[in-house]
Coordinates of all heavy atoms in Angstrom, one line a residue:
N978 N 50.8 80.4 -120.6 CA 49.7 80.0 -119.8 C 49.7 80.8 -118.4 O 48.7 80.7 -117.7 CB 49.7 78.5 -119.5 CG 49.5 77.7 -120.7 OD1 48.7 78.1 -121.6 ND2 50.1 76.5 -120.8
Q979 N 50.7 81.5 -118.2 CA 50.8 82.3 -116.9 C 50.0 83.6 -117.0 O 49.8 84.3 -116.0 CB 52.3 82.6 -116.6 CG 53.1 81.4 -116.3 CD 52.7 80.7 -115.0 OE1 52.1 81.3 -114.1 NE2 52.9 79.4 -115.0
I980 N 49.6 84.0 -118.2 CA 48.8 85.2 -118.4 C 47.5 85.2 -117.6 O 47.1 86.1 -117.0 CB 48.6 85.6 -119.9 CG1 50.0 86.1 -120.4 CG2 47.6 86.6 -120.0 CD1 49.8 86.6 -121.9
E981 N 46.8 84.0 -117.8 CA 45.5 83.9 -117.2 C 45.5 84.1 -115.7 O 44.7 84.9 -115.2 CB 44.9 82.6 -117.6 CG 43.4 82.4 -117.1 CD 42.7 81.2 -117.7 OE1 43.4 80.5 -118.6 OE2 41.5 81.0 -117.4
P982 N 46.3 83.4 -114.9 CA 46.3 83.7 -113.5 C 46.7 85.1 -113.1 O 46.2 85.6 -112.1 CB 47.3 82.6 -112.9 CG 48.0 82.0 -114.1 CD 47.2 82.3 -115.3
L983 N 47.6 85.7 -113.9 CA 48.0 87.1 -113.6 C 46.8 88.0 -113.8 O 46.5 88.9 -113.0 CB 49.2 87.5 -114.4 CG 49.7 89.0 -114.2 CD1 50.1 89.1 -112.8 CD2 50.8 89.3 -115.2
L984 N 46.1 87.8 -114.9 CA 44.9 88.6 -115.2 C 43.8 88.4 -114.2 O 43.1 89.3 -113.8 CB 44.4 88.3 -116.6 CG 43.2 89.2 -117.1 CD1 43.6 90.6 -117.2 CD2 42.8 88.7 -118.5
A985 N 43.7 87.1 -113.7 CA 42.7 86.8 -112.7 C 43.0 87.5 -111.4 O 42.0 88.0 -110.7 CB 42.6 85.3 -112.5
N986 N 44.2 87.7 -111.1 CA 44.6 88.4 -109.8 C 44.2 89.9 -110.0 O 43.8 90.5 -109.0 CB 46.1 88.2 -109.5 CG 46.4 86.8 -109.1 OD1 45.6 86.1 -108.5 ND2 47.6 86.4 -109.3
L987 N 44.5 90.4 -111.2 CA 44.2 91.9 -111.4 C 42.7 92.1 -111.3 O 42.2 93.2 -110.9 CB 44.7 92.3 -112.7 CG 46.3 92.4 -112.9 CD1 46.7 92.7 -114.3 CD2 46.9 93.3 -111.9
L988 N 41.9 91.1 -111.7 CA 40.4 91.3 -111.7 C 39.8 90.7 -110.5 O 38.5 90.5 -110.5 CB 39.8 90.7 -113.0 CG 40.3 91.3 -114.3 CD1 39.7 90.6 -115.5 CD2 40.0 92.8 -114.4
A989 N 40.6 90.3 -109.5 CA 40.0 89.6 -108.3 C 39.0 90.5 -107.6 O 38.0 90.0 -107.1 CB 41.1 89.2 -107.4
P990 N 39.2 91.9 -107.6 CA 38.2 92.7 -106.9 C 36.8 92.6 -107.5 O 35.8 93.1 -106.9 CB 38.8 94.1 -107.0 CG 40.2 93.9 -107.1 CD 40.4 92.6 -107.9
L991 N 36.7 92.1 -108.7 CA 35.4 92.0 -109.4 C 34.5 90.8 -108.8 O 33.4 90.6 -109.3 CB 35.5 91.8 -110.9 CG 36.2 92.9 -111.6 CD1 36.2 92.7 -113.1 CD2 35.6 94.3 -111.3
G992 N 35.1 90.1 -107.9 CA 34.4 89.0 -107.2 C 34.1 87.8 -108.2 O 35.0 87.4 -108.9
E993 N 32.8 87.4 -108.1 CA 32.5 86.2 -109.0 C 32.5 86.5 -110.4 O 32.6 85.6 -111.3 CB 31.1 85.7 -108.6 CG 31.0 85.2 -107.1 CD 29.5 84.8 -106.8 OE1 28.7 85.0 -107.7 OE2 29.3 84.3 -105.7
R994 N 32.5 87.8 -110.8 CA 32.5 88.1 -112.2 C 33.9 88.1 -112.7 O 34.1 88.1 -114.0 CB 31.9 89.5 -112.4 CG 30.4 89.6 -112.0 CD 29.9 91.0 -112.3 NE 28.5 91.0 -111.8 CZ 27.4 90.7 -112.6 NH1 27.6 90.2 -113.8 NH2 26.2 90.8 -112.1
G995 N 34.9 88.1 -111.9 CA 36.3 88.2 -112.3 C 36.7 87.0 -113.1 O 37.2 87.2 -114.2
P996 N 36.5 85.7 -112.7 CA 36.8 84.6 -113.5 C 36.1 84.6 -114.9 O 36.7 84.2 -115.9 CB 36.4 83.4 -112.7 CG 36.5 83.9 -111.3 CD 36.1 85.3 -111.3
E997 N 34.8 85.0 -114.9 CA 34.1 85.0 -116.1 C 34.7 86.0 -117.1 O 34.9 85.7 -118.3 CB 32.6 85.4 -115.8 CG 31.8 85.5 -117.1 CD 30.4 86.1 -116.7 OE1 30.0 86.1 -115.5 OE2 29.6 86.4 -117.7
L998 N 35.0 87.2 -116.6 CA 35.6 88.2 -117.5 C 37.0 87.8 -117.9 O 37.4 88.0 -119.0 CB 35.7 89.5 -116.7 CG 36.0 90.8 -117.6 CD1 35.0 90.9 -118.7 CD2 36.0 92.0 -116.7
T999 N 37.8 87.1 -117.0 CA 39.1 86.7 -117.4 C 39.0 85.7 -118.5 O 39.8 85.7 -119.5 CB 39.8 86.0 -116.1 OG1 39.9 87.0 -115.1 CG2 41.2 85.5 -116.5
A1000 N 38.1 84.7 -118.4 CA 38.0 83.7 -119.4 C 37.6 84.3 -120.8 O 38.0 83.9 -121.8 CB 36.9 82.7 -119.0
T1001 N 36.7 85.4 -120.7 CA 36.3 86.1 -122.0 C 37.5 86.7 -122.6 O 37.7 86.6 -123.8 CB 35.2 87.1 -121.7 OG1 34.1 86.4 -121.0 CG2 34.7 87.8 -122.9
I1002 N 38.3 87.5 -121.8 CA 39.4 88.2 -122.4 C 40.4 87.2 -122.9 O 41.0 87.4 -124.0 CB 40.0 89.1 -121.3 CG1 39.0 90.2 -120.9 CG2 41.3 89.7 -121.8 CD1 39.5 91.1 -119.8
I1003 N 40.7 86.2 -122.2 CA 41.7 85.2 -122.7 C 41.2 84.5 -124.0 O 42.0 84.2 -124.9 CB 42.0 84.1 -121.6 CG1 42.7 84.8 -120.4 CG2 42.8 83.0 -122.1 CD1 44.0 85.3 -120.8
G1004 N 39.9 84.3 -124.1 CA 39.3 83.8 -125.3 C 39.6 84.7 -126.5 O 39.9 84.2 -127.6
F1005 N 39.4 86.0 -126.3 CA 39.7 87.0 -127.3 C 41.2 86.9 -127.7 O 41.5 87.0 -128.9 CB 39.3 88.4 -126.9 CG 37.8 88.7 -126.9 CD1 37.3 89.4 -125.9 CD2 37.0 88.1 -127.9 CE1 35.9 89.7 -125.9 CE2 35.7 88.4 -127.8 CZ 35.1 89.2 -126.9
V1006 N 42.0 86.8 -126.7 CA 43.5 86.8 -127.0 C 43.9 85.6 -127.8 O 44.7 85.7 -128.7 CB 44.2 86.9 -125.6 CG1 45.7 86.7 -125.9 CG2 44.0 88.3 -125.0
E1007 N 43.3 84.4 -127.4 CA 43.7 83.2 -128.0 C 43.2 83.2 -129.5 O 43.8 82.6 -130.4 CB 43.2 82.0 -127.3 CG 43.9 81.8 -125.9 CD 43.3 80.6 -125.1 OE1 42.2 80.2 -125.5 OE2 44.0 80.2 -124.2
N1008 N 42.1 83.8 -129.7 CA 41.5 83.8 -131.1 C 42.2 84.8 -132.0 O 42.1 84.8 -133.2 CB 40.0 84.2 -131.0 CG 39.2 83.1 -130.4 OD1 39.6 81.9 -130.5 ND2 38.1 83.4 -129.8
M1009 N 43.0 85.8 -131.4 CA 43.7 86.8 -132.2 C 45.1 86.2 -132.5 O 45.9 86.1 -131.6 CB 43.8 88.1 -131.4 CG 44.6 89.2 -132.2 SD 44.8 90.7 -131.3 CE 43.1 91.3 -131.3
Q1010 N 45.3 85.9 -133.7 CA 46.5 85.3 -134.2 C 47.4 86.4 -134.8 O 47.1 86.9 -135.9 CB 46.3 84.2 -135.2 CG 45.5 83.0 -134.6 CD 45.2 81.9 -135.6 OE1 45.9 81.8 -136.6 NE2 44.3 81.0 -135.3
V1011 N 48.4 86.8 -134.1 CA 49.2 87.9 -134.6 C 49.9 87.6 -135.9 O 50.1 88.4 -136.8 CB 50.2 88.3 -133.5 CG1 51.1 89.4 -134.0 CG2 49.5 88.7 -132.2
G1012 N 50.2 86.3 -136.1 CA 51.0 86.0 -137.3 C 50.2 86.1 -138.6 O 50.8 86.1 -139.6
V1013 N 48.9 86.1 -138.5 CA 48.1 86.1 -139.7 C 47.4 87.5 -139.9 O 46.6 87.6 -140.8 CB 47.0 85.0 -139.7 CG1 47.7 83.6 -139.6 CG2 46.0 85.2 -138.6

């Protein structure tokens, strides 16, 4: 769960779009199941 705040800090210069983009990327990551 620590990935999301770290990614949010990296995308902080994007302003209000940063949290939106962070949530989108995290959604992709959570949907990608490496084991299958």
Side-chain angles (χ1 to χ4, degrees):
N978 293 328
Q979 296 293 332
I980 285 185
E981 185 169 357
L983 180 62
L984 185 61
N986 289 332
L987 293 176
L988 300 180
L991 300 184
E993 296 179 355
R994 300 182 182 274
E997 177 185 349
L998 191 58
T999 300
T1001 302
I1002 295 175
I1003 292 298
F1005 285 143
V1006 172
E1007 290 178 344
N1008 292 331
M1009 179 179 289
Q1010 300 181 16
V1011 178
V1013 299

